Amino acid sequence: MDASVAGSSGLTFTKGHGTGNDFILVLDPDGLAPTDGPFVAALCDRHRGIGADGYIRAVRSSSLPEGRALLQTEPAAEWFMDYRNGDGSVSEMCGNGVRVFAHFLLQMSVAHLPEGGELAIGTRAGVKRVARSGDGYAVDMGPWEFIAPDAAVSRGMDSLVAVGGLDVDRPGLSISMGNPHTVVALAEYEELGRTDLNRAPVVDPAPPLGTNVELVVPSDPLVGDDGVGRLTMRVHERGVGETQSCGTGACAAAAATRFWAGPTAPAHWLVTVPGGVVGVTFFDGPEGREHVQLSGPAVLVAHGTLLNGS
């Protein structure tokens, strides 16, 4: 194993995923486990490390400055999801990751989530509330918003996106779910299949902090007899590349498609990603803004301990 990983021998970890979006999780109540970029990147390397899209530390909120700030208004958020992308960069949030994180806390017996109850989790995008659902967990992801609202409302787009495998740049609509996303609609599944997401799409103009890019094909018909909207998605994540799934990206993709579809579009959506299917539901939040709920499975697949590499 890479030397930067071997230097942390004895670190106990768990591997988990949500619809194929996979993570290395570490129970680290006091915030002592390493988080430097080279360590995380080496750990997440799929050939020389364990391999994952991201690295998550479960830290008591009282042990991190960001967590202590949240506790002032959200004292129930005992645990903070300290998330890094696979390249070691810090990320605000991860929708699949927060479900897996909640499942990890429950399996490690450091948190409790009764039927009908909620588990408050601190993140860099605020407190997220997790409940049990039929297929795993449902998370109130908070409100969504346009990154460039004037352009979004007046033109239905705010950027042009160059994607490998597509001959011409496509219009994109940028949405914040606490982290940035740019959604591009494609006309058919053949287009979606031939795109190359090994390279990051070029978004012009790009949101100030960069962006994740979702390519979506709305179903035809868009809304089924059950009143549920459906779409299929692929995603390129900042600092990771193409992943099997992206929870915040699925929320952004549904929000953009719903906006394009107009006022009669449904509140309930199913988003098919390479790793499975997640549910997205829009509802009125307590502060009068529209919130997004993400639901889907969370799976833990292995526990282990880093070796010294000798």
Side-chain angles (χ1 to χ4, degrees):
M1 187 172 285
D2 187 278
S4 59
V5 175
S8 298
S9 60
L11 183 68
T12 300
F13 67 89
T14 296
K15 181 74 181 288
H17 76 90
T19 53
N21 196 188
D22 60 339
F23 312 97
I24 297 164
L25 301 108
V26 173
L27 183 61
D28 184 27
D30 298 322
L32 303 177
T35 58
D36 59 281
F39 167 79
V40 173
L43 195 67
C44 292
D45 188 290
R46 296 196 180 277
H47 300 286
R48 303 177 188 275
I50 297 167
D53 293 326
Y55 173 68
I56 302 175
R57 290 193 310 162
V59 184
R60 292 194 187 279
S61 294
S62 58
S63 297
L64 287 176
E66 304 98 313
R68 289 193 290 271
L70 289 177
L71 286 173
Q72 294 181 17
T73 55
E74 297 281 357
E78 178 184 3
W79 290 95
F80 190 94
M81 188 180 87
D82 185 19
Y83 181 66
R84 264 79 175 164
N85 294 315
D87 68 349
S89 58
V90 176
S91 183
E92 301 90 344
M93 237 296 286
C94 176
N96 289 318
V98 75
R99 295 198 317 275
V100 176
F101 182 79
H103 190 49
F104 174 66
L105 293 179
L106 299 180
Q107 293 299 304
M108 298 298 288
S109 300
V110 296
H112 180 58
L113 178 56
E115 290 293 338
E118 291 183 331
L119 178 63
I121 291 174
T123 78
R124 291 186 175 86
V127 173
K128 306 302 176 188
R129 303 184 186 281
V130 182
R132 297 184 187 274
S133 69
D135 59 349
Y137 299 91
V139 186
D140 179 355
M141 302 291 287
W144 68 275
E145 61 185 0
F146 294 121
I147 292 177
D150 291 342
V153 172
S154 63
R155 297 187 290 145
M157 59 168 286
D158 53 44
S159 56
L160 288 174
V161 184
V163 183
L166 299 181
D167 296 335
V168 297
D169 296 354
R170 305 301 174 94
L173 182 60
S174 299
I175 287 175
S176 174
M177 286 299 312
N179 57 352
H181 297 269
T182 300
V183 183
V184 177
L186 302 180
E188 49 191 42
Y189 297 109
E190 187 274 334
E191 276 192 321
L192 184 65
R194 74 167 186 261
T195 55
D196 177 10
L197 291 180
N198 292 314
R199 295 174 290 145
V202 178
V203 180
D204 183 25
L209 299 178
T211 189
N212 304 285
V213 176
E214 285 77 33
L215 307 178
V216 303
V217 177
S219 295
D220 185 15
L222 179 63
V223 182
D225 293 339
D226 56 1
V228 176
R230 288 172 170 80
L231 59 91
T232 299
M233 181 187 93
R234 289 176 61 192
V235 57
H236 183 283
E237 290 196 54
R238 292 177 304 169
V240 185
E242 182 171 13
T243 59
Q244 292 288 296
S245 181
C246 175
T248 52
C251 294
T257 305
R258 184 168 175 255
F259 172 72
W260 288 324
T264 61
H268 302 286
W269 293 79
L270 292 176
V271 180
T272 298
V273 294
V277 178
V278 295
V280 177
T281 301
F282 297 87
F283 65 98
D284 292 332
E287 77 282 16
R289 299 176 65 189
E290 187 171 74
H291 280 222
V292 189
Q293 182 191 72
L294 174 71
S295 61
V299 180
L300 302 181
V301 298
H303 300 285
T305 304
L306 294 185
L307 302 178
N308 60 18
S310 60

